[in-house]
Amino acid sequence: MKPLIVTADDYALSEAVDDGILDLVAQGRLSATSCMTCSPRWPAAAARLTPEVQARIRLGLHLDLTAFVPGAQALKEVIVRAYLRQLDGAHLQQVVADQLDRFEQALGRAPDYVDGHQHVHQLPQVREALVAELRRRYPTAPRPWLRISDAATGQGWKGWLIAALGSRALRGQARSVGFLTTGRLLGVYGFDGDAAAYLQRLAGWLPLARADDALMCHPAARLDAGEEIGGARFQEYQVLGGEAFAGLLSQHHRVVVQGRAWSEVDKEWAA
């Protein structure tokens, strides 16, 4: 069986998201989840990451510039300002450090990896600040790895755009100073369609997955009609926890990485 890394974004966004992620962890359907440490829910959400949960999955920092962080801005504005090199570098460094501090203070350890809410971690200025802070804070192994937003082919214009915004530059900068990274990103779509459409997308993504690729998801255990992608979140949760997904995993000879199975991925990265 080949390993499959399945990472859930947005832990601590809402109770429904947290419930969905933890339930999928218990079912063996998730490998990792990335945490929004500026969320007002973070202290309560962190308390639910028991030693039993942490023994099964990797926990990451979901770097936030557009949701809960003080002075949050719309994604389009952050992208434009980053490419014009108009972000406040000192403030950015402080924001990165503060979110890492919040993770460490709540869980008593460094994150296993770092990615970004809406993929902001790969943008110009942001990636430099992030890699610099990680290098300063974690000078020796074990060090967090970085999830790269280099979307695999066949994921439409959105996948192309996400990758074009800086994924390869971040990979190069991270690896040049000794940080491990994932390969390509799977799971990119427009949050459209029904549960059957999402299952069909999974059927297309699984054959593409290599050992160091990551399949991204955004599950929630209940429908939140007031949340922008609430419908898609609930559909993802239902599909990922269902028998049809189990059948796809078996059909494609995949096993979701958890616990000791992470050792196989670690060997792949060390090779």
Side-chain angles (χ1 to χ4, degrees), residues 7 29 42 174:
T7 68
R29 302 296 171 85
W42 171 238

PDB file of all heavy atoms in Angstrom, residues 7 29 42 174:
ATOM      1  N   THR A   7      -4.219  16.353   4.462  1.00  0.00           N
ATOM      2  CA  THR A   7      -4.103  17.440   5.429  1.00  0.00           C
ATOM      3  C   THR A   7      -5.378  18.267   5.453  1.00  0.00           C
ATOM      4  O   THR A   7      -5.875  18.678   4.398  1.00  0.00           O
ATOM      5  CB  THR A   7      -2.903  18.358   5.096  1.00  0.00           C
ATOM      6  OG1 THR A   7      -3.161  19.061   3.873  1.00  0.00           O
ATOM      7  CG2 THR A   7      -1.626  17.560   4.957  1.00  0.00           C
ATOM      8  N   ARG A  29      -8.844   8.864   8.625  1.00  0.00           N
ATOM      9  CA  ARG A  29      -8.952   9.456   7.296  1.00  0.00           C
ATOM     10  C   ARG A  29      -8.110  10.725   7.119  1.00  0.00           C
ATOM     11  O   ARG A  29      -8.119  11.308   6.032  1.00  0.00           O
ATOM     12  CB  ARG A  29     -10.424   9.759   6.982  1.00  0.00           C
ATOM     13  CG  ARG A  29     -11.341   8.548   7.037  1.00  0.00           C
ATOM     14  CD  ARG A  29     -10.986   7.509   5.968  1.00  0.00           C
ATOM     15  NE  ARG A  29     -11.707   6.256   6.117  1.00  0.00           N
ATOM     16  CZ  ARG A  29     -12.930   6.034   5.635  1.00  0.00           C
ATOM     17  NH1 ARG A  29     -13.555   6.987   4.962  1.00  0.00           N
ATOM     18  NH2 ARG A  29     -13.513   4.871   5.807  1.00  0.00           N
ATOM     19  N   TRP A  42      -8.851  29.203  19.589  1.00  0.00           N
ATOM     20  CA  TRP A  42      -7.635  28.395  19.653  1.00  0.00           C
ATOM     21  C   TRP A  42      -7.381  27.773  21.018  1.00  0.00           C
ATOM     22  O   TRP A  42      -7.074  26.574  21.099  1.00  0.00           O
ATOM     23  CB  TRP A  42      -6.430  29.198  19.179  1.00  0.00           C
ATOM     24  CG  TRP A  42      -5.112  28.523  19.405  1.00  0.00           C
ATOM     25  CD1 TRP A  42      -4.055  28.997  20.117  1.00  0.00           C
ATOM     26  CD2 TRP A  42      -4.698  27.233  18.922  1.00  0.00           C
ATOM     27  NE1 TRP A  42      -3.014  28.110  20.121  1.00  0.00           N
ATOM     28  CE2 TRP A  42      -3.376  27.004  19.392  1.00  0.00           C
ATOM     29  CE3 TRP A  42      -5.313  26.244  18.152  1.00  0.00           C
ATOM     30  CZ2 TRP A  42      -2.672  25.842  19.113  1.00  0.00           C
ATOM     31  CZ3 TRP A  42      -4.607  25.072  17.877  1.00  0.00           C
ATOM     32  CH2 TRP A  42      -3.302  24.891  18.344  1.00  0.00           C
ATOM     33  N   ALA A 174      13.110  27.385   1.052  1.00  0.00           N
ATOM     34  CA  ALA A 174      13.074  26.490   2.210  1.00  0.00           C
ATOM     35  C   ALA A 174      14.147  25.411   2.102  1.00  0.00           C
ATOM     36  O   ALA A 174      14.898  25.154   3.052  1.00  0.00           O
ATOM     37  CB  ALA A 174      11.689  25.862   2.339  1.00  0.00           C
TER      38      ALA A 174
END
